[in-house]
Amino acid sequence: MTTAQATLLEVDELDAGYGASQVLFGMSLAVTRGHCSTLLGRNGMGKSTTIKSIMGLIKPMRGEVRWKGKAMQGQPPYVVARCGLGLVPEGRQIFPNLTVRENLIATARQDVAALWTLERVHKMFPRLAERGSNFGNQLSGGEQQMLAIGRALMTNPELLILDEATEGLSPLIRQEIWAALAQIKAEGMAILIVDKNIVPLLALADHHHIVEKGRVVWQGDSQALLRDRAAWSRYLGA
């Protein structure tokens, strides 16, 4: 497989923002098939804006978002999702007045080979099976995050994107989420993840991008990031 064939997602020199306020300034990154990549950085540096631009929630001012080599910037979110991108948004954004089961099946894709089914999601997160008849707003924060991940998996994506994957969760729930993501990656799914917990990301991810003021200022693999403590201090406050 060539590099071009292995690349699923490319963000190329992207400028984007909100109204007259520009947030991204030449943002560029790539995610390859079966690999896990990160977006790291302090709050307000453009990580979530990058994800929103990829998912069609924001229309870029300049640059390209390419999926398997084809430009898709400016496409509506439902078209982006149908291409094979599954989003676990910041804040989870589950449907509070639907049951856990209804949340999972509401956006499930029927037009692809269903590798991820309700049964498989329940196997990964048994708590969702136990809470199947509860409404979304009756779940704990950790259960809501499991539900958000399960809902994204039920779209059977090729790339799973998580914005603040473990924010606000207890250490035990974080361990469960990291274990689930490791399993998902081991089964061949590509992952793009935003999170502030660097140490578990070093074990999970293949490539890291550090974002500062709307652009990538450092990138490399986990060994390079582990060695570059100056980058931790300068860009991550760690």
Side-chain angles (χ1 to χ4, degrees), residues 12-24:
D12 186 16
E13 294 293 327
L14 207 66
D15 292 352
Y18 307 90
S21 177
Q22 186 171 343
V23 178
L24 302 183

Side-chain angles (χ1 to χ4, degrees), residues 32-80:
T32 55
R33 190 181 302 276
H35 284 198
C36 177
S37 296
T38 70
L39 285 176
L40 306 174
R42 294 184 175 92
N43 290 338
M45 292 300 165
K47 305 183 300 295
S48 292
T49 302
T50 300
I51 288 177
K52 290 176 181 177
S53 299
I54 291 169
M55 294 303 301
L57 298 167
I58 295 174
K59 187 174 182 179
M61 305 168 181
R62 185 182 71 89
E64 281 194 339
V65 177
R66 294 189 291 272
W67 178 252
K68 298 179 181 179
K70 296 182 180 180
M72 66 172 187
Q73 70 277 0
Q75 293 289 335
Y78 74 90
V79 172
V80 175

Side-chain angles (χ1 to χ4, degrees), residues 41-194:
R42 294 184 175 92
N43 290 338
M45 292 300 165
K47 305 183 300 295
S48 292
T49 302
T50 300
I51 288 177
K52 290 176 181 177
S53 299
I54 291 169
M55 294 303 301
L57 298 167
I58 295 174
K59 187 174 182 179
M61 305 168 181
R62 185 182 71 89
E64 281 194 339
V65 177
R66 294 189 291 272
W67 178 252
K68 298 179 181 179
K70 296 182 180 180
M72 66 172 187
Q73 70 277 0
Q75 293 289 335
Y78 74 90
V79 172
V80 175
R82 285 179 179 173
C83 288
L85 291 82
L87 175 64
V88 180
E90 183 177 12
R92 296 139 200 165
Q93 297 183 27
I94 62 167
F95 301 114
N97 297 321
L98 295 183
T99 66
V100 168
R101 186 179 188 279
E102 289 167 343
N103 265 278
L104 289 171
I105 65 175
T107 57
R109 289 189 66 181
Q110 305 297 327
D111 59 331
V112 294
L115 298 176
W116 283 96
T117 62
L118 195 62
E119 291 72 24
R120 283 203 69 198
V121 170
H122 284 168
K123 186 176 180 180
M124 175 165 283
F125 298 120
R127 207 169 312 186
L128 297 182
E130 297 166 6
R131 302 277 266 159
S133 61
N134 289 102
F135 291 104
N137 59 9
Q138 295 175 317
L139 304 185
S140 68
E143 290 168 340
Q144 288 185 4
Q145 186 68 347
M146 294 174 192
L147 179 55
I149 294 172
R151 180 180 61 184
L153 290 173
M154 289 284 286
T155 69
N156 281 277
E158 294 182 66
L159 171 62
L160 181 67
I161 301 178
L162 303 100
D163 194 358
E164 300 295 354
T166 65
E167 183 178 36
L169 303 182
S170 70
L172 285 176
I173 295 297
R174 285 178 182 175
Q175 288 178 17
E176 192 168 347
I177 297 297
W178 293 126
L181 293 177
Q183 179 182 334
I184 291 165
K185 180 192 171 187
E187 294 185 11
M189 187 178 295
I191 300 173
L192 176 61
I193 184 169
V194 173

Side-chain angles (χ1 to χ4, degrees), residues 1-9 31-35 190:
M1 181 179 292
T2 67
T3 301
Q5 289 173 325
T7 301
L8 287 177
L9 175 72
V31 181
T32 55
R33 190 181 302 276
H35 284 198

